[in-house]
Each structure stands twice: as C-alpha cells, then as structure tokens.
Amino acid sequence: MQDRKPQQIARELALLSLSQLPVNPKKLTEEHLPKLVLATVRTLRTEVQDTLDNAAAELQRSNDRLLTSQTRASDMNTARTMLQEAITYTQTAINQLGAAVEFPELIQLANQDREVGRYAIQIVKTVNEHRIFIDEQISAALVDWQVNRLAQIDRDILRIAVAEMGFLNLPDSVAINEAVVLAKRYSGDEGHRFINGVLRRFTEQKKLPSVLS
C-alpha cells in the first residue's frame, strides 16, 4: 500500500462502511469499523465474482459471434463491442480485487491510529445525518440523471466529497481530488471522470449563491 495520510485512509474506510450502516448509525464508534469493513469485503467478493462472470459471458458471446459472422462487417463490429464490454467488466473486477487485497492493512491502520477511526466515523455520521440535503446538492449538479440511479459506489463517493466540503471544512479542490482517487480505485474506467465533472459543477453552483451558507 502506498503511503497515505490518515484522512485518506479514513475516507476509504468511510466509503467501504457506508453500504453497511446499522439501523442506528448515530451510535457508531471507531470499534465498529472492522465489522463494517469486513461486511463490505464479503459483499465486494460477491460483486467481483458477478463482474467476472459477466466478463466471461461477454467473451463467449463475442467469440461465438466471430465464429458465425463469416467476416460480415456488422457482425464483426458487434463482436468487437462485446469484446470491449468484456474487457471493461474484467478491468473493474481487477480494480476491486486490487483494493480488496489492502482491506486487512486498512483495518490495522485504523486500529493503530485513532485519528483514522475518528475521521472515518465522522464522515459516515455526517453523510447519514445530512443525506437528504447532500443528495439534493448532488442532484442539482447532475445532468439528465438522478442520484438514486447512480451506482452505489459512485453515489457514496459523491456524498463523501460534498459532506467534506460542506460540513467538514475540506477545501473544494482537495475534496474533488480525493474523490477522484477513490473513484479510480473502486469505480469503472469512466467513473472518476464522471465524478470529477459532477463535483466541479457542484462547486460552481454553490458559489451563486452558496448552498452551504
């Protein structure tokens, strides 16, 4: 694992924990983090397997189309598209597996550094307590899209960034950069570009007038 600051590790732990929140997250403490992250590991393992299964299916479909196409241009183009989809599925799975390998070290670092655990829980609580407001701000920055239609990992990355900008006093540029880093680790190939665009629109909109004043 590359050397990262406590807040960066905390941010990643918060992202992994958001999908596993208990009924009453207000009672969360640093001691709950390992259990939340472990639950995420189990969920992510299933997601990785599903992604790899989808990739295998697309590869098989692409191969079948190539074998039966008799070199027709339309079938060749379709086969190429299927192959590209298979590659995308595989790359996403590889990204997720690469991140999952570091989970035990993340938990260890959280246990060793109290600042990591405290900030991770602070992010989780902030996102939960202000979720309606945060989602409204994200929705306003989306173009022809809705928050509830976003992939969960992308939605949670956006929520964390808006929460940090609006409630935890993190500078806009830093929050955006950190969100892009998370997206590169956990989202698809286009995820970090999408998240960067949404957050930049959000920062532009909140200046006229400030939505967080």
Side-chain angles (χ1 to χ4, degrees):
M1 180 185 291
Q2 297 178 344
D3 291 337
R4 282 182 280 168
K5 297 178 181 178
Q7 284 197 351
Q8 291 176 315
I9 299 169
R11 193 173 292 110
E12 187 165 344
L13 286 168
L15 175 64
L16 298 173
S17 301
L18 280 173
S19 63
Q20 305 294 333
L21 284 180
V23 176
N24 187 359
K26 291 184 179 181
K27 294 182 179 180
L28 280 176
T29 65
E30 292 91 327
E31 286 71 26
H32 290 99
L33 273 176
K35 291 183 178 179
L36 290 173
V37 176
L38 178 59
T40 304
V41 171
R42 291 170 177 162
T43 300
L44 189 60
R45 183 174 57 190
T46 301
E47 292 177 356
V48 167
Q49 185 60 58
D50 289 344
T51 303
L52 289 174
D53 289 344
N54 287 334
E58 288 300 315
L59 282 171
Q60 185 61 54
R61 289 174 59 199
S62 175
N63 183 63
D64 292 345
R65 182 58 65 95
L66 284 171
L67 290 175
T68 60
S69 67
Q70 298 179 350
T71 69
R72 287 180 298 180
S74 61
D75 285 340
M76 290 291 288
N77 289 335
T78 301
R80 290 193 188 97
T81 299
M82 291 177 177
L83 181 59
Q84 185 58 51
E85 290 176 355
I87 292 172
T88 299
Y89 279 127
T90 304
Q91 185 60 55
T92 299
I94 290 172
N95 290 346
Q96 292 173 335
L97 283 171
V101 167
E102 296 183 353
F103 284 172
E105 189 171 355
L106 282 173
I107 296 173
Q108 182 180 7
L109 289 170
N111 289 334
Q112 292 175 348
D113 190 333
R114 301 294 290 180
E115 181 184 348
V116 170
R118 282 195 295 269
Y119 193 63
I121 292 299
Q122 188 177 10
I123 292 173
V124 171
K125 287 185 175 181
T126 300
V127 170
N128 181 72
E129 291 172 6
H130 301 282
R131 180 168 297 181
I132 294 176
F133 176 80
I134 289 171
D135 283 358
E136 287 175 350
Q137 308 313 313
I138 295 172
S139 293
L142 291 172
V143 177
D144 298 326
W145 205 251
Q146 296 177 346
V147 172
N148 58 9
R149 293 182 60 194
L150 296 174
Q152 180 170 324
I153 199 72
D154 293 342
R155 184 168 62 240
D156 285 342
I157 290 172
L158 288 170
R159 284 169 170 167
I160 288 173
V162 172
E164 288 191 296
M165 283 187 272
F167 299 96
L168 301 178
N169 301 317
L170 193 69
D172 293 354
S173 59
V174 176
I176 293 174
N177 289 339
E178 294 297 329
V180 168
V181 169
L182 283 177
K184 286 181 177 179
R185 286 173 62 79
Y186 289 97
S187 188
D189 285 344
E190 296 301 318
H192 69 279
R193 295 185 182 89
F194 170 76
I195 284 171
N196 181 64
V198 173
L199 291 176
R200 290 194 181 282
R201 283 194 296 275
F202 164 74
T203 57
E204 292 169 0
Q205 291 172 2
K206 77 185 184 75
K207 293 175 182 175
L208 292 171
S210 176
V211 299
L212 300 179
S213 58

mmCIF file of all heavy atoms in Angstrom, residues 151-172:
data_model
loop_
_atom_site.group_PDB
_atom_site.id
_atom_site.type_symbol
_atom_site.label_atom_id
_atom_site.label_comp_id
_atom_site.label_asym_id
_atom_site.label_seq_id
_atom_site.Cartn_x
_atom_site.Cartn_y
_atom_site.Cartn_z
ATOM 1 N N ALA A 151 -24.645 4.277 -9.615
ATOM 2 C CA ALA A 151 -24.066 3.113 -8.959
ATOM 3 C C ALA A 151 -23.770 3.494 -7.512
ATOM 4 O O ALA A 151 -23.354 4.621 -7.232
ATOM 5 C CB ALA A 151 -22.787 2.694 -9.676
ATOM 6 N N GLN A 152 -23.985 2.575 -6.591
ATOM 7 C CA GLN A 152 -23.849 2.909 -5.171
ATOM 8 C C GLN A 152 -22.474 3.457 -4.844
ATOM 9 O O GLN A 152 -22.347 4.417 -4.078
ATOM 10 C CB GLN A 152 -24.132 1.677 -4.301
ATOM 11 C CG GLN A 152 -24.004 1.986 -2.810
ATOM 12 C CD GLN A 152 -24.508 0.860 -1.933
ATOM 13 O OE1 GLN A 152 -25.481 0.201 -2.266
ATOM 14 N NE2 GLN A 152 -23.840 0.631 -0.825
ATOM 15 N N ILE A 153 -21.419 2.857 -5.409
ATOM 16 C CA ILE A 153 -20.071 3.310 -5.081
ATOM 17 C C ILE A 153 -19.859 4.743 -5.551
ATOM 18 O O ILE A 153 -19.266 5.560 -4.844
ATOM 19 C CB ILE A 153 -19.010 2.361 -5.679
ATOM 20 C CG1 ILE A 153 -17.668 2.555 -4.973
ATOM 21 C CG2 ILE A 153 -18.873 2.540 -7.182
ATOM 22 C CD1 ILE A 153 -17.608 2.021 -3.585
ATOM 23 N N ASP A 154 -20.377 5.087 -6.739
ATOM 24 C CA ASP A 154 -20.251 6.462 -7.240
ATOM 25 C C ASP A 154 -21.063 7.427 -6.387
ATOM 26 O O ASP A 154 -20.611 8.534 -6.072
ATOM 27 C CB ASP A 154 -20.725 6.550 -8.694
ATOM 28 C CG ASP A 154 -19.811 5.796 -9.650
ATOM 29 O OD1 ASP A 154 -18.661 5.505 -9.252
ATOM 30 O OD2 ASP A 154 -20.238 5.496 -10.776
ATOM 31 N N ARG A 155 -22.256 7.003 -6.004
ATOM 32 C CA ARG A 155 -23.117 7.849 -5.177
ATOM 33 C C ARG A 155 -22.460 8.137 -3.829
ATOM 34 O O ARG A 155 -22.474 9.273 -3.352
ATOM 35 C CB ARG A 155 -24.471 7.152 -4.987
ATOM 36 C CG ARG A 155 -25.493 7.982 -4.221
ATOM 37 C CD ARG A 155 -26.871 7.364 -4.342
ATOM 38 N NE ARG A 155 -26.938 6.020 -3.774
ATOM 39 C CZ ARG A 155 -27.258 4.919 -4.467
ATOM 40 N NH1 ARG A 155 -27.515 4.991 -5.759
ATOM 41 N NH2 ARG A 155 -27.314 3.743 -3.871
ATOM 42 N N ASP A 156 -21.861 7.121 -3.232
ATOM 43 C CA ASP A 156 -21.247 7.305 -1.914
ATOM 44 C C ASP A 156 -19.978 8.158 -2.000
ATOM 45 O O ASP A 156 -19.682 8.934 -1.080
ATOM 46 C CB ASP A 156 -20.935 5.947 -1.282
ATOM 47 C CG ASP A 156 -22.185 5.247 -0.773
ATOM 48 O OD1 ASP A 156 -23.217 5.932 -0.601
ATOM 49 O OD2 ASP A 156 -22.146 4.022 -0.554
ATOM 50 N N ILE A 157 -19.230 8.023 -3.083
ATOM 51 C CA ILE A 157 -18.051 8.872 -3.255
ATOM 52 C C ILE A 157 -18.473 10.335 -3.367
ATOM 53 O O ILE A 157 -17.864 11.230 -2.762
ATOM 54 C CB ILE A 157 -17.248 8.448 -4.502
ATOM 55 C CG1 ILE A 157 -16.582 7.091 -4.261
ATOM 56 C CG2 ILE A 157 -16.182 9.499 -4.844
ATOM 57 C CD1 ILE A 157 -15.916 6.501 -5.491
ATOM 58 N N LEU A 158 -19.522 10.593 -4.128
ATOM 59 C CA LEU A 158 -20.031 11.961 -4.254
ATOM 60 C C LEU A 158 -20.539 12.478 -2.912
ATOM 61 O O LEU A 158 -20.297 13.640 -2.547
ATOM 62 C CB LEU A 158 -21.163 12.001 -5.287
ATOM 63 C CG LEU A 158 -20.747 11.834 -6.751
ATOM 64 C CD1 LEU A 158 -21.977 11.638 -7.633
ATOM 65 C CD2 LEU A 158 -19.946 13.036 -7.224
ATOM 66 N N ARG A 159 -21.238 11.642 -2.173
ATOM 67 C CA ARG A 159 -21.762 12.052 -0.864
ATOM 68 C C ARG A 159 -20.630 12.433 0.084
ATOM 69 O O ARG A 159 -20.718 13.429 0.815
ATOM 70 C CB ARG A 159 -22.601 10.924 -0.264
ATOM 71 C CG ARG A 159 -23.983 10.768 -0.890
ATOM 72 C CD ARG A 159 -24.647 9.494 -0.435
ATOM 73 N NE ARG A 159 -26.055 9.432 -0.829
ATOM 74 C CZ ARG A 159 -26.798 8.339 -0.772
ATOM 75 N NH1 ARG A 159 -26.268 7.205 -0.328
ATOM 76 N NH2 ARG A 159 -28.066 8.366 -1.149
ATOM 77 N N ILE A 160 -19.575 11.636 0.096
ATOM 78 C CA ILE A 160 -18.442 11.923 0.975
ATOM 79 C C ILE A 160 -17.806 13.264 0.600
ATOM 80 O O ILE A 160 -17.507 14.093 1.477
ATOM 81 C CB ILE A 160 -17.405 10.784 0.898
ATOM 82 C CG1 ILE A 160 -17.946 9.533 1.611
ATOM 83 C CG2 ILE A 160 -16.072 11.218 1.523
ATOM 84 C CD1 ILE A 160 -17.060 8.312 1.438
ATOM 85 N N ALA A 161 -17.600 13.487 -0.683
ATOM 86 C CA ALA A 161 -16.971 14.732 -1.121
ATOM 87 C C ALA A 161 -17.810 15.942 -0.749
ATOM 88 O O ALA A 161 -17.291 16.949 -0.237
ATOM 89 C CB ALA A 161 -16.736 14.694 -2.635
ATOM 90 N N VAL A 162 -19.121 15.880 -0.993
ATOM 91 C CA VAL A 162 -19.996 17.007 -0.663
ATOM 92 C C VAL A 162 -20.047 17.218 0.848
ATOM 93 O O VAL A 162 -20.040 18.358 1.332
ATOM 94 C CB VAL A 162 -21.410 16.776 -1.235
ATOM 95 C CG1 VAL A 162 -22.378 17.842 -0.728
ATOM 96 C CG2 VAL A 162 -21.369 16.786 -2.760
ATOM 97 N N ALA A 163 -20.072 16.125 1.604
ATOM 98 C CA ALA A 163 -20.080 16.232 3.067
ATOM 99 C C ALA A 163 -18.802 16.893 3.570
ATOM 100 O O ALA A 163 -18.839 17.752 4.465
ATOM 101 C CB ALA A 163 -20.230 14.845 3.695
ATOM 102 N N GLU A 164 -17.677 16.517 2.999
ATOM 103 C CA GLU A 164 -16.406 17.092 3.446
ATOM 104 C C GLU A 164 -16.301 18.571 3.079
ATOM 105 O O GLU A 164 -15.788 19.376 3.855
ATOM 106 C CB GLU A 164 -15.239 16.312 2.849
ATOM 107 C CG GLU A 164 -15.063 14.930 3.455
ATOM 108 C CD GLU A 164 -13.756 14.293 3.055
ATOM 109 O OE1 GLU A 164 -13.567 14.021 1.846
ATOM 110 O OE2 GLU A 164 -12.909 14.056 3.941
ATOM 111 N N MET A 165 -16.802 18.924 1.911
ATOM 112 C CA MET A 165 -16.767 20.331 1.509
ATOM 113 C C MET A 165 -17.733 21.170 2.343
ATOM 114 O O MET A 165 -17.410 22.286 2.765
ATOM 115 C CB MET A 165 -17.108 20.464 0.021
ATOM 116 C CG MET A 165 -15.998 20.091 -0.924
ATOM 117 S SD MET A 165 -16.396 20.458 -2.660
ATOM 118 C CE MET A 165 -17.213 18.953 -3.165
ATOM 119 N N GLY A 166 -18.917 20.615 2.571
ATOM 120 C CA GLY A 166 -19.966 21.405 3.195
ATOM 121 C C GLY A 166 -19.978 21.410 4.705
ATOM 122 O O GLY A 166 -20.401 22.389 5.319
ATOM 123 N N PHE A 167 -19.511 20.312 5.319
ATOM 124 C CA PHE A 167 -19.656 20.195 6.775
ATOM 125 C C PHE A 167 -18.343 19.941 7.514
ATOM 126 O O PHE A 167 -18.283 20.118 8.733
ATOM 127 C CB PHE A 167 -20.632 19.062 7.102
ATOM 128 C CG PHE A 167 -22.007 19.281 6.557
ATOM 129 C CD1 PHE A 167 -22.385 18.725 5.340
ATOM 130 C CD2 PHE A 167 -22.929 20.061 7.239
ATOM 131 C CE1 PHE A 167 -23.655 18.933 4.819
ATOM 132 C CE2 PHE A 167 -24.209 20.275 6.728
ATOM 133 C CZ PHE A 167 -24.566 19.712 5.511
ATOM 134 N N LEU A 168 -17.306 19.502 6.811
ATOM 135 C CA LEU A 168 -16.057 19.138 7.483
ATOM 136 C C LEU A 168 -14.886 20.037 7.080
ATOM 137 O O LEU A 168 -13.731 19.717 7.360
ATOM 138 C CB LEU A 168 -15.721 17.661 7.198
ATOM 139 C CG LEU A 168 -16.794 16.662 7.649
ATOM 140 C CD1 LEU A 168 -16.403 15.241 7.281
ATOM 141 C CD2 LEU A 168 -17.048 16.772 9.151
ATOM 142 N N ASN A 169 -15.224 21.154 6.410
ATOM 143 C CA ASN A 169 -14.243 22.219 6.132
ATOM 144 C C ASN A 169 -13.059 21.783 5.271
ATOM 145 O O ASN A 169 -11.958 22.336 5.398
ATOM 146 C CB ASN A 169 -13.713 22.814 7.447
ATOM 147 C CG ASN A 169 -14.817 23.402 8.297
ATOM 148 O OD1 ASN A 169 -15.706 24.078 7.788
ATOM 149 N ND2 ASN A 169 -14.776 23.131 9.590
ATOM 150 N N LEU A 170 -13.275 20.821 4.387
ATOM 151 C CA LEU A 170 -12.217 20.438 3.464
ATOM 152 C C LEU A 170 -12.299 21.328 2.220
ATOM 153 O O LEU A 170 -13.379 21.513 1.660
ATOM 154 C CB LEU A 170 -12.370 18.968 3.055
ATOM 155 C CG LEU A 170 -11.165 18.342 2.341
ATOM 156 C CD1 LEU A 170 -10.004 18.188 3.316
ATOM 157 C CD2 LEU A 170 -11.532 16.978 1.750
ATOM 158 N N PRO A 171 -11.185 21.907 1.794
ATOM 159 C CA PRO A 171 -11.201 22.756 0.597
ATOM 160 C C PRO A 171 -11.765 22.013 -0.617
ATOM 161 O O PRO A 171 -11.539 20.809 -0.776
ATOM 162 C CB PRO A 171 -9.722 23.109 0.400
ATOM 163 C CG PRO A 171 -9.124 22.985 1.759
ATOM 164 C CD PRO A 171 -9.850 21.852 2.424
ATOM 165 N N ASP A 172 -12.479 22.739 -1.446
ATOM 166 C CA ASP A 172 -13.126 22.127 -2.611
ATOM 167 C C ASP A 172 -12.152 21.328 -3.465
ATOM 168 O O ASP A 172 -12.434 20.187 -3.844
ATOM 169 C CB ASP A 172 -13.791 23.198 -3.476
ATOM 170 C CG ASP A 172 -14.966 23.868 -2.787
ATOM 171 O OD1 ASP A 172 -15.340 23.418 -1.686
ATOM 172 O OD2 ASP A 172 -15.512 24.833 -3.354
#
